[in-house]
């Protein structure tokens, strides 16, 4: 009876413009922008931040002021747009793994043929539709019946933004200021190179105290913004993993392992052609039998596999901790389906799409996967099995993801852990059927990828439906808007992935054919998924390194620390986690100052600091995508080299002075973020 007692902002009896052409178009545009930005951020850092709140802020600013949209139309804008971010996260966390599967004929990955626009597009659309479909029967049990139990933090915050916009507010000014500041900073860094991109300090391999240690930071605005948004606790755990890898494991292994052993390991994992060929990770010299960059060689050969084991264990531990939630979610969802069949909803705010849509949509998805040539598999029955596994695992983990994000928010959802469990389960099914070897690796990745996309979409969809429930939206219209958002966003996400994967002129000269997988776009989760699939289906996983990572994660978990965040930090280079930690430290300082003044600490997403940080993330990521697009055009890339000030500044200031100048600019941006965070957000018209 709780849903009858609850009174939404717009009563069920009141009919307001909602699913209109302008709301869907504006939402689709937002989905395209934030989907492309999420692709960039996830490929570089392996992290994403929720786009729902910034899209809601843009909706009340651009929609209400310039297009005269209603609050329910603004909700459709936010709902449609949020699909882009969730689809992008699922795609980037898994599908680039096609490039890292076992090598076949010609030295190419067995999955490289499937890393094309059409395959990415189809899998993204089908995975997103699956996540949305499975949320239709769950809405009444999770959003309505458990309204007072599951807060859905991002969804509640979005509802607050939309209601404030209806009453009158000026939330977006700070976010736009952050966006503009970030674009100018990124222009100076990525185009004119006034600001160094990755200042670094390193010790020699012969250093007797700390050999082959390196401290570096990719001092970009998006990393600082991410650190501020996730807060000091998670940012601190992330950088702790990076410290363990860069200042403990790499110096230790550099002391114990000679370069020749490291080179053999790089050859084994495919990062060096052979011992007589120069180049590869760390720039191997076959004449002197040394590396130009030994820390990088050690990281790629050993530490990355240790980190992969830690991430796998951290994700699995997170999943195990949610088992009670999994069981209760399934019970609630089954009960909800029975209730729907007994009594149809009549109120506007209770109208969902029919269960027939869910049933026929799921069957259609299985059939499409069996028929489409873009899906890996040689036989109709084999591809049909893929479709069945996708629907079974998808229904299971959509339920899990939907409840988890209701408690801890979308940004903290253990989607990677769910994907790891899916891949391991799929590989075990394959092994039981005798499907081992490299030809089945792409098929296993398809199942994991689509379930990852579905789980990520379901998490975002849950937040959107919570927003709609609070403000009085029509669920049916939101579900239709989500389908539109999934399709439109997928069209651009595939293009963005392919553009960012295009190697620059310098990469081509080095024989690099894919930018994804390099230091520029490390794609950490996708690399991990490929490593697991290769190891399980070939029975050739480097268990000695993987198990070290597993027990590191267990040790950290026993210390009461979230092992998944620590493991991701150990897997990523310190250059990624250190600037994120800087953003978290600024958040901690701002909160401490507010506590001293007896002011309310900024815990919600509506404060000035969070809005400015959101602008930093969006602006930096958008600038990165634009520069990446321009860099793959040879004529434009040559002109970009002409306007670079790096050589001149390095000659005037020296290499160290140029790096220090970049650090000072980054510190200046941190000071601006801190000053903004201390101001109260103006909600007056």
């Amino acid at each position: 009876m709780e849903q009858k007692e609850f009174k939404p902002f717009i009563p069920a009896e009141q009919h307001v413009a909602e699913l209109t052409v302008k709301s869907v178009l504006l939402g689709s545009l937002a989905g395209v922008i934030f989907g492309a930005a999420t692709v960039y951020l996830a490929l570089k850092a392996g992290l994403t931040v929720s786009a729902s709140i910034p899209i809601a802020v843009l909706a009340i600013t651009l929609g209400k002021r310039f297009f005269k949209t209603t609050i329910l139309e603004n909700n459709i804008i936010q709902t449609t747009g949020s699909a882009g971010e969730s689809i992008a996260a699922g795609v980037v966390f898994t599908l680039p793994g096609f490039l890292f599967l076992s090598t076949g004929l010609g030295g190419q990955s067995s999955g490289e043929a499937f890393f094309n626009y059409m395959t990415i597009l189809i899998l993204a659309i089908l995975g997103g539709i699956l996540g949305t479909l499975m949320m239709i029967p769950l809405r009444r049990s999770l959003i309505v019946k458990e309204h007072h139990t599951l807060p859905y933090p991002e969804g509640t915050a979005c509802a607050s933004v939309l209601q404030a916009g209806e009453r009158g507010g000026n939330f977006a000014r700070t976010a736009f200021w952050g966006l503009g500041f970030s674009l100018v900073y990124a222009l100076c860094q990525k185009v004119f190179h006034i600001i160094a991109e990755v200042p670094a300090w390193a010790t020699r391999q012969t250093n007797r105290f700390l050999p082959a240690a390196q401290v570096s930071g990719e001092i970009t605005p998006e990393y600082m913004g991410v650190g501020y948004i996730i807060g000091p606790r998670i940012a601190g755990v992330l950088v702790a993993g990076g410290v363990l890898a860069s200042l403990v494991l790499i110096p230790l292994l550099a002391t114990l392992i000679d370069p020749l052993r490291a080179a053999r390991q790089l050859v084994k994992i495919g990062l060096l052609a052979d011992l007589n060929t120069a180049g590869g990770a760390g720039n191997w010299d076959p004449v002197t039998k040394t590396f130009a960059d030994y820390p990088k060689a050690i990281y790629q050969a050993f530490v990355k596999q240790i980190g992969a084991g830690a991430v796998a264990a951290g994700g699995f531990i997170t999943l195990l901790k949610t088992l009670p939630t999994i069981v209760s979610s399934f019970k609630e969802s089954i009960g909800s389906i029975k209730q729907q069949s007994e009594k149809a909803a009549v109120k506007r705010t209770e109208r969902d799409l029919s269960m027939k849509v869910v049933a026929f949509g799921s069957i259609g998805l299985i059939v499409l996967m069996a028929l489409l040539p873009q899906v890996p598999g040689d036989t109709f029955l084999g591809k049909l099995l893929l479709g069945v596994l996708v629907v079974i695992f998808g229904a299971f983990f959509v339920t899990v993801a939907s409840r988890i994000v209701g408690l801890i928010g979308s940004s903290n959802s253990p989607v990677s852990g769910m994907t790891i469990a899916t891949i391991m389960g799929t590989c075990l099914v394959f092994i039981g059927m005798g499907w081992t070897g490299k030809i089945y690796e792409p098929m296993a990745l398809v199942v994991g990828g689509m379930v990852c996309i579905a789980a990520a979409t379901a998490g975002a969809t849950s937040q959107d439906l919570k927003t709609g429930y609070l403000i009085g939206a029509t669920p049916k219209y939101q579900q239709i808007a989500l389908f539109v958002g999934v399709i439109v966003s997928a069209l651009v996400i595939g293009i963005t992935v392919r553009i960012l994967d295009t190697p620059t002129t310098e990469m081509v000269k080095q024989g690099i054919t894919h930018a994804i997988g390099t230091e520029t776009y490390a794609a950490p989760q996708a690399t991990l998924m490929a490593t697991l699939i290769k190891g399980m289906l070939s029975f050739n996983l480097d268990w000695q390194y993987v198990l070290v990572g597993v027990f590191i994660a267990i040790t950290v978990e026993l210390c009461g620390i979230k092992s998944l965040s620590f493991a991701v930090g150990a897997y990523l280079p310190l250059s990624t986690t250190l600037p994120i930690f800087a953003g978290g430290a600024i958040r901690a300082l701002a909160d401490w100052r507010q506590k001293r003044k007896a002011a309310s600490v900024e815990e919600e997403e509506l404060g000035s600091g969070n809005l400015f940080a959101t602008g930093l993330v969006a602006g930096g990521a958008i600038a990165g995508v634009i520069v990446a697009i321009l860099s793959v055009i040879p004529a434009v890339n040559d002109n970009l080299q002409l306007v670079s000030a790096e050589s001149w500044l390095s000659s005037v200031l020296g290499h160290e002075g140029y790096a220090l100048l970049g650090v000072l600019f980054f510190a200046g941006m941190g000071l601006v973020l801190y000053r903004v965070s201390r101001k109260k957000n103006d909600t007056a018209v």
Side-chain angles (χ1 to χ4, degrees):
M1 294 294 178
E2 287 181 1
Q3 62 266 35
K4 293 183 179 179
E5 298 174 2
F6 173 75
K7 300 294 183 184
F9 187 78
I10 302 294
E13 300 76 22
Q14 185 176 344
H15 292 274
V16 178
E18 190 168 0
L19 186 67
T20 60
V21 173
K22 61 183 176 182
S23 64
V24 172
L25 289 178
L26 288 172
S28 299
L29 178 61
V32 165
I33 294 171
F34 281 92
T38 300
V39 168
Y40 174 80
L41 188 62
L43 281 175
K44 286 183 70 68
L47 298 168
T48 63
V49 292
S50 176
S52 298
I53 294 161
I55 293 174
V57 169
L58 293 174
I60 65 171
T61 305
L62 301 178
K64 182 176 174 61
R65 293 192 178 183
F66 298 105
F67 297 94
K68 308 301 180 185
T69 51
T70 67
I71 184 173
L72 296 188
E73 284 179 310
N74 289 335
N75 180 56
I76 291 294
I77 294 172
Q78 180 268 321
T79 300
T80 310
S82 67
E85 178 258 337
S86 57
I87 294 290
V91 167
V92 174
F93 285 171
T94 53
L95 299 189
F98 281 126
L99 298 175
F100 313 127
L101 297 174
S102 299
T103 54
L105 296 175
Q108 290 186 329
S109 165
S110 58
E112 187 166 350
F114 300 103
F115 193 68
N116 57 67
Y117 175 73
M118 284 306 299
T119 301
I120 295 172
L121 173 66
I122 288 169
L123 296 181
I125 290 176
L126 293 182
I129 288 176
L130 176 64
T132 306
L133 280 175
M134 294 300 175
M135 269 307 300
I136 292 172
L138 291 173
R139 188 193 70 85
R140 292 175 63 83
S141 62
L142 296 180
I143 308 300
V144 180
K145 288 186 65 177
E146 299 204 40
H147 169 57
H148 298 291
T149 307
L150 299 175
Y152 287 98
E154 287 97 343
T156 302
C158 284
S160 299
V161 170
L162 294 174
Q163 290 177 35
E166 190 69 10
R167 296 188 178 106
N170 201 14
F171 284 104
R173 184 171 58 186
T174 305
F176 281 123
W177 186 22
L179 179 69
F181 186 97
S182 181
L183 287 172
V184 172
Y185 184 101
L187 188 70
C188 293
Q189 184 178 51
K190 300 178 186 297
V191 176
F192 298 109
H193 294 280
I194 298 170
I195 304 170
E197 293 195 47
V198 191
W201 170 83
T203 62
R204 296 179 181 275
Q205 184 184 343
T206 55
N207 187 294
R208 57 181 295 194
F209 300 107
L210 199 65
Q214 188 175 69
V215 177
S216 59
E218 192 170 350
I219 50 175
T220 60
E222 59 267 27
Y223 284 170
M224 179 174 284
V226 166
Y228 190 95
I229 291 169
I230 66 178
R233 176 67 179 173
I234 299 176
V237 174
L238 274 172
V239 81
V243 169
L244 175 70
S246 296
L247 300 179
V248 178
L249 294 179
I250 291 177
L252 178 63
L253 293 173
T255 304
L256 300 175
I257 295 174
D258 64 274
L260 188 60
R261 169 71 190 283
R264 289 196 185 102
Q265 179 64 18
L266 289 174
V267 171
K268 178 182 177 182
I269 61 178
L271 295 180
L272 180 63
D274 55 65
L275 295 178
N276 298 318
T277 304
N283 197 7
W284 167 251
D285 187 339
V287 178
T288 62
K289 292 187 171 21
T290 58
F291 288 94
D293 188 349
Y294 199 41
K296 180 180 178 182
I298 291 290
Y299 169 74
Q300 293 288 348
F302 305 107
V303 175
K304 206 169 183 182
Q305 295 192 70
I306 294 172
V311 172
F316 201 69
I317 289 169
T318 306
L319 198 60
L320 287 176
K321 289 162 71 175
T322 62
L323 277 177
T325 300
I326 295 171
V327 175
S328 62
S329 294
F330 263 86
K331 287 181 179 178
E332 289 291 338
S333 62
I334 292 170
S336 172
I337 293 171
K338 289 181 178 178
Q339 285 183 359
Q340 274 193 294
S341 62
E342 293 170 2
K343 182 181 178 181
V346 291
K347 288 185 179 179
R348 179 184 60 81
T349 53
E350 295 177 3
R351 293 175 191 161
D352 291 284
L353 288 175
S354 169
M355 280 298 298
K356 293 180 181 178
V357 175
V358 180
F360 287 117
S362 300
I363 294 170
L365 185 145
I366 294 172
V367 174
L368 277 174
M369 288 192 65
L371 295 176
L372 288 171
Q374 289 81 8
V375 176
D378 295 330
T379 65
F380 176 82
L381 290 178
K383 294 165 75 171
L384 196 66
L385 174 63
L386 290 189
V388 172
L389 289 174
V390 164
V391 171
I392 292 173
F393 282 120
F396 185 80
F397 286 119
V398 160
T399 306
V400 175
S402 301
R403 182 172 286 270
I404 288 175
V405 301
L407 295 170
I408 61 176
S410 298
S411 299
N412 298 317
S413 178
V415 174
S416 294
M418 300 177 205
T419 309
I420 290 167
T422 299
I423 284 175
M424 292 177 71
T426 302
C427 288
L428 289 174
V429 171
F430 283 10
I431 291 170
M433 298 178 64
W435 291 5
T436 58
K438 62 186 68 175
I439 63 171
Y440 296 104
E441 292 175 2
M443 297 171 68
L445 184 62
V446 164
V447 178
M450 289 188 63
V451 171
C452 182
I453 295 166
T457 303
T461 299
S462 303
Q463 303 287 358
D464 296 334
L465 293 173
K466 179 70 168 185
T467 302
Y469 180 68
L470 292 172
I471 66 171
T474 308
K476 178 180 178 179
Y477 293 152
Q478 282 190 281
Q479 290 153 359
I480 293 172
L482 282 162
F483 286 128
V484 174
V486 163
I487 295 170
V488 173
S489 300
L491 291 170
V492 178
I493 287 167
I495 294 172
T496 307
V497 170
R498 294 298 296 160
I499 289 173
L500 296 181
D501 186 49
T502 306
T504 62
T505 306
E506 291 76 15
M507 290 178 181
V508 173
K509 291 178 182 177
Q510 298 173 28
I512 297 172
T513 56
H514 295 279
I516 294 177
T518 65
E519 284 188 347
T520 307
Y521 304 113
Q525 276 92 346
T527 309
L528 167 64
M529 305 307 169
T531 301
L532 281 175
I533 292 170
K534 286 190 296 184
M536 292 192 70
L537 292 184
S538 65
F539 306 100
N540 192 32
L541 203 60
D542 282 323
W543 287 106
Q544 67 272 39
Y545 306 122
V546 172
L547 287 176
V548 168
V550 168
F551 285 108
I552 286 175
I554 292 173
T555 302
V556 169
E557 193 71 38
L558 290 173
C559 292
I561 299 169
K562 290 183 178 179
S563 56
L564 185 56
S565 298
F566 185 91
V568 170
Y571 187 86
L572 292 170
L574 186 61
S575 59
T576 297
T577 56
L578 194 58
I580 291 174
F581 174 69
I586 293 169
R587 174 66 176 270
L589 180 61
D591 290 350
W592 176 73
R593 285 299 300 267
Q594 288 189 359
K595 282 182 179 178
R596 284 193 63 188
K597 292 186 174 182
S600 58
V601 175
E602 180 185 315
E603 294 178 345
E604 297 185 357
E605 291 83 351
L606 307 181
S608 297
N610 260 316
L611 289 174
F612 188 83
T614 297
L616 291 180
V617 173
I622 291 168
V625 172
I626 293 172
V627 171
I629 293 172
L630 296 177
S631 297
V632 299
I633 305 172
V636 177
N637 185 58
D638 293 340
N639 290 326
L640 289 177
Q641 298 299 322
L642 293 176
V643 299
S644 173
E646 182 176 355
S647 299
W648 178 75
L649 286 172
S650 296
S651 63
V652 173
L653 302 174
H655 182 73
E656 292 78 10
Y658 175 63
L660 181 60
L661 178 65
V663 173
L664 292 175
F665 269 102
F666 189 69
M669 179 168 58
L671 179 61
V672 172
L673 175 58
Y674 172 70
R675 295 286 297 273
V676 171
S677 68
R678 294 181 61 189
K679 296 179 180 178
K680 288 190 175 181
N681 199 37
D682 179 19
T683 58
V685 179

